[in-house]
Amino acid sequence: MRTTIVAAVILLVAGIGEAAVGASGAQATSSTKTSSTAFNACALLTTQEASTAVGEAVGEPKPKNPPASAMPGVSVAFCEFESTAGNALKITVWRPSGDSAAMFLQVYKGECMKKERMPGLGDLACWYSPDHKELQVVKGAAILIFQINRSGNATEALTTAAKKALARLP
């Protein structure tokens, strides 16, 4: 939810989007498909890789490619790997396109520059949360957000998961 709200605020401030993201409380539920083929964020990691990041076995990935958007020109894909104990790894991929892409990415990169950066990932990466439970990465025209819910330090787990996912990003 927090990631959806942050992205919506960035879009609103930039004058790109329209007001209404996450009003229902669903995480990353806004999307405009920019092509006839939906992107599957779950293809970026294997279940075993997600289990390693979470620190315990996770179930089958739960993909979501929402059908409607309050943000024209931005597609969103989401995947969650969750354990029976409720620990989870979530991946959200934002893909702006068309006239809004350059401005969307510029605003997003500006926000990331204000955070603790993580060198060596994508074009720009930053820790959204000071406890390193959320890592945001810009690569080309895609923004990937990795969130983890588990106890203990997750820095290495999220960094490793991001490297693997970035290598598979089409």
Side-chain angles (χ1 to χ4, degrees):
M1 177 68 177
R2 178 176 50 168
T3 301
T4 302
I5 292 170
V6 169
V9 168
I10 289 170
L11 289 173
L12 291 171
V13 169
I16 302 168
E18 299 170 14
V21 173
S24 68
Q27 184 162 7
T29 57
S30 297
S31 168
T32 296
K33 293 178 184 170
T34 56
S35 69
S36 60
T37 306
F39 176 71
N40 181 1
C42 295
L44 298 176
L45 289 177
T46 67
T47 302
Q48 182 57 48
E49 291 165 342
S51 294
T52 299
V54 171
E56 61 192 20
V58 297
E60 290 299 311
K62 300 173 193 166
K64 293 181 185 177
N65 286 306
S69 176
M71 296 177 285
V74 180
S75 65
V76 181
F78 173 79
C79 185
E80 180 176 30
F81 296 88
E82 187 174 17
S83 74
T84 56
N87 294 318
L89 175 64
K90 300 173 186 175
I91 304 169
T92 307
V93 181
W94 296 76
R95 292 181 141 183
S97 62
D99 296 337
S100 64
M103 188 179 292
F104 181 93
L105 289 167
Q106 179 182 3
V107 171
Y108 203 90
K109 286 178 180 179
E111 289 300 311
C112 195
M113 294 294 285
K114 297 175 188 176
K115 308 270 185 206
E116 178 186 352
R117 289 191 291 196
M118 178 63 197
L121 291 175
D123 301 327
L124 177 65
C126 61
W127 293 104
Y128 182 83
S129 61
D131 62 354
H132 292 193
K133 300 286 184 179
E134 182 173 330
L135 177 63
Q136 299 184 357
V137 181
V138 177
K139 182 177 180 187
I143 298 162
L144 293 87
I145 300 168
F146 301 88
Q147 297 172 288
I148 197 159
N149 176 29
R150 69 165 220 192
S151 62
N153 186 318
T155 303
E156 187 176 329
L158 278 181
T159 303
T160 300
K163 286 178 182 177
K164 290 177 188 276
L166 288 166
R168 295 183 182 119
L169 186 67

